[in-house]
Structures are given as C-alpha cells and as structure tokens.
Amino acid sequence: MDNTKTMVRAAAIIVAVLAVVVFGFNCYYTIGEQEQAVVTTFGTPTAVSTPGLHFKIPFIQKVTKVDTTIKGITIGYDLNSNISREEESLMITSDYNFVNVDFFLEYKVSDPIKALYASRNPVAILKSIAQGSIRSVVSMMDVDSVITTGKSEIQANIRSMIMEQLDEWDIGIQLVNISIQDAEPPTQEVIEAFKAVETAKQGKETAINNANKYRNEKLPGAEAQVDKILKEAEAKKEARINEAKGQAARFNELYEEYIKYPLITKQRMYYEAMQELLPDLEVIIDNGNGSVQKILPLDSFTE
C-alpha cells in the first residue's frame, strides 16, 4: 500500500515538473535582429514585438514571426537559371517595336500585421503591381530610350507608380528599389512576326483611306444628282398642277359661257376645233377607176 502511494506521488511530481517545464517554455519567446513578431490573443492581433526576449500567456497568445530583411523578385527572367521568361519580359514601345526588358525588384515588410492579414499573398500582389507599372511606362518610351539612354527615367517612373499603388493597396509591403537588369531586342522570329502585323495594319489603314477617298469623291456628285432629280420632279409636279388648274379654270369659263349662250358657244368651240385640225388634215377621194382626187389640204390653190 505504501509502495502504491509512493508511486502515485512520484507520478504526480513528474507530471507537475513536466507541466512547469512546458508552461515555462511557452511563457517566453525570442525575436532576432532581422525579425518582428505579431502577437495574437484568441486569434486577434494585439501587439508587434521587436527583437529581444519577450513573454506571452501560454495557450492564449500566439506568436507569428515575420522576416523584415530586404528580399528580391525577378521580373522577366529566372534568378537561378538566368533564363529569360518572354511572357514577362517581352513588351511593346511607343514607336511600335518589341523589346525584352528584365527587372529586379527589392522589397521588405513595413507593417507585419498588414503583411500577414491584409491580403492572402502580398508578394504576388506586389509583383502584379510592378508588372502593370513596367508595361505602362515602357509603352510610353521609344525603343532607343528603353535600350540605351532612358533607363534611369524608366526606373524612376516605375518606382513612383508602384509606390503610389502600394499606398492605395496598403498591404504592409514597402518597395526598396527596382532596377533594369537587361534590355535588348527580341528574337528574329518575334521581329518578323511583328513586322507582319505592322504590314497588315498599314494595309488595313491604306484600304480604309482609299475607301474614304472614293466616298468623298463620289458622294458630292451623287448628292448633286439626287438634288437635281428632286428639283426636276418638283418642277414637273408644279407644272402638272398649274396645267391642271389652268385647264380647270378654262373649262369653268367655257361652261359659264355655254350656260349664257349655248348655241354660239358650241359654234365657237367647233370652229376652234376645226382651226386646229384642218391644217394637218388630208382628204383624198378615190373614185374606184384608178384616179385619185385630192381635196384637202388646198395646197394647189394657195401656192
């Protein structure tokens, strides 16, 4: 019985010692010179620890260390193999030329809490911002400036654009520097493909210009012809209307005269009709024996 009690006491002592040791090791933590730590209490960030020895509440507080050293990202090439990645490096300039440009970007964590919790992958966001800024700036420069004289200006403009967007995103990442590693024309195959595209563009523009020129030449004449036809139609319409009105007015006048003097009016209309018909009327009498007698017109009597 005594042995059993002794064993129980010994086990309790061992458990107590182990608990003290575990509790003691979970009460403190050490932060290195190039690190910072985010302390969370029940999952909520409550403090940022600087380098040195610090204490925390075991099982309640959790510490996540963040590396604050300067790190780098390559854009346009692989850092280990130094092989170009054209999907990143190939860009077009303002004078419609292709160029391969490689960049090296340096950054560091400026806010550990935001770097951990403001976004899922702040480094990927930084690279995406950098690629967009690079293409935007390079597209505004000519190819000679990109390859030779304009590198400093390009780097300064890209740096300014990235920093402005990082301030908007506020992901706890700070840009340290970005520099052009290399800039050169692309492969001959890409150059030939680009020339083919430019030739097609120029052909398209030429065809459009020729079509516009033909339209501008023909359109005024067509419009003038349409205007002429419309005016002629309007003139004919007016003439027909006026003629109809005149005939209607004349008929009304004759009708009024006819009502007043029917017989005289009939005779006058008969004479007027004969006056119009007789000058063009020919009357020929055939007596059946081959002889023909011409009565009208009376040319033989009037010559």
Side-chain angles (χ1 to χ4, degrees), residues 25 43 82 86 107 141 162 167 169 174 234 247 262 268:
F25 276 109
N82 204 31
E86 284 198 348
Y107 71 95
M141 308 292 290
I162 293 175
D167 289 340
W169 282 85
Q174 175 185 346
E234 289 290 335
Q247 291 179 354
R268 183 167 66 85

Side-chain angles (χ1 to χ4, degrees), residues 58-107:
F59 310 111
I60 296 177
Q61 291 183 319
K62 182 181 178 181
V63 177
T64 303
K65 295 181 180 180
V66 178
D67 188 355
T68 58
T69 58
I70 296 176
K71 298 180 180 180
I73 301 174
T74 60
I75 299 176
Y77 69 101
D78 183 81
L79 183 62
N80 297 322
S81 62
N82 204 31
I83 296 176
S84 177
R85 292 197 293 257
E86 284 198 348
E87 66 274 11
E88 294 182 356
S89 64
L90 188 61
M91 305 177 199
I92 189 170
T93 59
S94 62
D95 53 353
Y96 301 104
N97 283 295
F98 276 123
V99 62
N100 276 326
V101 191
D102 302 333
F103 288 84
F104 186 76
L105 183 149
E106 295 175 287
Y107 71 95

Side-chain angles (χ1 to χ4, degrees), residues 165-197:
Q165 294 188 54
L166 282 177
D167 289 340
E168 294 178 2
W169 282 85
D170 196 18
I171 55 176
I173 297 292
Q174 175 185 346
L175 176 67
V176 176
N177 189 33
I178 184 167
S179 58
I180 296 177
Q181 299 299 296
D182 193 15
E184 60 184 6
T187 60
Q188 188 62 33
E189 290 80 3
V190 175
I191 294 175
E192 292 300 327
F194 177 76
K195 288 182 178 179
V197 172

